[in-house]
Amino acid sequence: DAKTTQPPSMDCAEGRAANLPCNHSTISGNEYVYWYRQIHSQGPQYIIHGLKNNETNEMASLIITEDRKSSTLILPHATLRDTAVYYCIVRPNNAGNMLTFGGGTRLMVKP
Amino acid sequence: AAGVIQSPRHLIKEKRETATLKCYPIPRHDTVYWYQQGPGQDPQFLISFYEKMQSDKGSIPDRFSAQQFSDYHSELNMSSLELGDSALYFCASSLGGRGNTEAFFGQGTRLTVV
């Protein structure tokens, strides 16, 4: 899987948008960008994934740059319950969910 | 909606004992994954099963074994437990094996080895 780089921590004010960046400059053509988060001691939670087009669901938006070397996860209106570690994971289409968690961003949403 | 069920939620064992963790996937999901998360660490992939066959193997110790049964539930068997096996163990399930689908995680089993 391609290596990803995320900032170790970020703060966000409650009600504001949280923009979490991820660098994946060695991504190859068949690799998808996945985002998961883990709220303290709970099971990781799937958020969103994409290949090259921007994606949006009820939880978040995923913006992938045209060259696919980086992406941004956007939580449009962060709440205190969004405080978690966010993982950006790059993996091939046929790799199943043998996910490599590492180097995520600890997002702290503050009142 | 039904989620992934793991049992027990908490387990305390002594060194050299054996433990069995159970995972019941979301109905109709055919693929299960096991992850281990030590204190202060990121989850690490152990092993996965698709349609009752082992599909991928990660950093699972030889003392551990797992299987998926005909009803798709899975069990992780851990023998000769060591203090370092104390961790959260997560099971996840998905549909379609290695296809491009998301995994749904259970709430985990916290194993403490004393």
Side-chain angles (χ1 to χ4, degrees):
Chain A
D1 295 354
K3 179 176 167 56
T4 61
T5 303
Q6 299 176 252
S9 64
M10 290 181 62
D11 289 345
C12 177
E14 188 178 20
R16 305 297 294 268
N19 297 283
L20 294 97
C22 179
N23 182 287
H24 32 79
S25 58
T26 60
I27 193 170
S28 59
N30 70 336
E31 290 185 313
Y32 283 71
V33 180
Y34 276 72
W35 284 83
Y36 280 79
R37 73 179 182 183
Q38 186 175 29
I39 297 169
H40 181 63
S41 292
Q42 295 183 20
Q45 179 187 23
Y46 165 82
I47 301 173
I48 199 167
H49 74 279
L51 182 63
K52 54 183 178 182
N53 297 320
N54 297 337
E55 302 287 344
T56 295
N57 62 21
E58 65 278 4
M59 286 184 67
S61 294
L62 173 61
I63 308 297
I64 302 174
T65 58
E66 195 167 339
D67 63 7
R68 304 212 318 126
K69 292 185 177 183
S70 65
S71 60
T72 301
L73 178 74
I74 301 172
L75 307 179
H77 306 286
T79 71
L80 299 179
R81 287 174 294 182
D82 291 322
T83 293
V85 178
Y86 287 77
Y87 295 97
C88 169
I89 299 170
V90 171
R91 66 173 180 83
N93 184 32
N94 63 348
N97 284 285
M98 187 174 55
L99 304 169
T100 300
F101 291 91
T105 296
R106 186 173 299 276
L107 175 68
M108 179 75 71
V109 180
K110 298 184 175 180
Chain B
V4 176
I5 306 296
Q6 292 188 245
S7 70
R9 292 294 309 278
H10 301 272
L11 189 59
I12 300 176
K13 290 285 186 178
E14 295 188 354
K15 281 193 306 184
R16 293 180 288 279
E17 283 193 320
T18 297
T20 298
L21 310 185
K22 297 185 179 182
C23 170
Y24 297 88
I26 290 172
R28 293 188 300 281
H29 278 195
D30 51 17
T31 311
V32 294
Y33 311 81
W34 286 97
Y35 286 81
Q36 176 192 57
Q37 186 172 26
Q41 298 180 4
D42 298 312
Q44 268 206 316
F45 171 75
L46 293 179
I47 196 167
S48 63
F49 293 85
Y50 168 58
E51 284 291 346
K52 293 152 279 184
M53 299 287 290
Q54 180 184 310
S55 59
D56 289 295
K57 196 171 184 179
S59 50
I60 183 169
D62 292 341
R63 299 177 291 108
F64 294 6
S65 66
Q67 58 181 322
Q68 185 180 29
F69 294 85
S70 58
D71 64 351
Y72 295 104
H73 93 273
S74 178
E75 295 183 3
L76 178 65
N77 297 292
M78 310 157 71
S79 63
S80 303
L81 287 169
E82 302 173 356
L83 296 178
D85 296 328
S86 295
L88 268 170
Y89 290 83
F90 292 107
C91 171
S93 76
S94 69
L95 183 62
R98 284 169 154 258
N100 184 29
T101 60
E102 63 266 34
F104 295 84
F105 283 77
Q107 289 304 298
T109 294
R110 183 175 295 278
L111 171 67
T112 303
V113 181
V114 297

